[in-house]
Amino acid sequence: MEMVKLVKGNRTIERPKVDYENNIKIWETRGWELFVNKPKPEPKPEPKVASEWQKEETKKPKSKKAK
């Protein structure tokens, strides 16, 4: 027996496919739709751009004090 998922807002229910096919108009009238599993879009990595305001790193040599 095949099951289908129906979605209404943030609620999800599972019903037999035969039951859904026999009563499609009733389900749609009540606001239920077939659940379609959409893959989550993968975030695209942002290209690294050299910024105008990069902090300059300057290293001062440590001087040794003579005693």
Side-chain angles (χ1 to χ4, degrees):
M1 176 181 345
E2 287 187 54
M3 301 293 279
V4 294
K5 289 186 180 183
L6 301 172
V7 178
K8 180 179 180 182
N10 61 352
R11 297 183 297 179
T12 305
I13 59 173
E14 246 182 86
R15 294 291 183 260
K17 188 173 182 180
V18 176
D19 182 38
Y20 172 72
E21 290 173 349
N22 290 336
N23 300 303
I24 291 177
K25 289 183 181 180
I26 293 172
W27 289 110
E28 289 175 355
T29 304
R30 294 181 179 174
W32 291 94
E33 300 174 343
L34 273 177
F35 175 76
V36 179
N37 192 7
K38 298 178 185 176
K40 293 183 181 178
E42 294 182 16
K44 296 180 181 177
E46 295 181 15
K48 295 182 180 180
V49 178
S51 175
E52 294 177 15
W53 300 99
Q54 285 184 347
K55 187 176 183 181
E56 291 184 20
E57 293 183 25
T58 55
K59 292 186 178 180
K60 294 183 181 180
K62 294 183 180 180
S63 61
K64 294 183 179 180
K65 294 185 181 180
K67 290 187 182 182

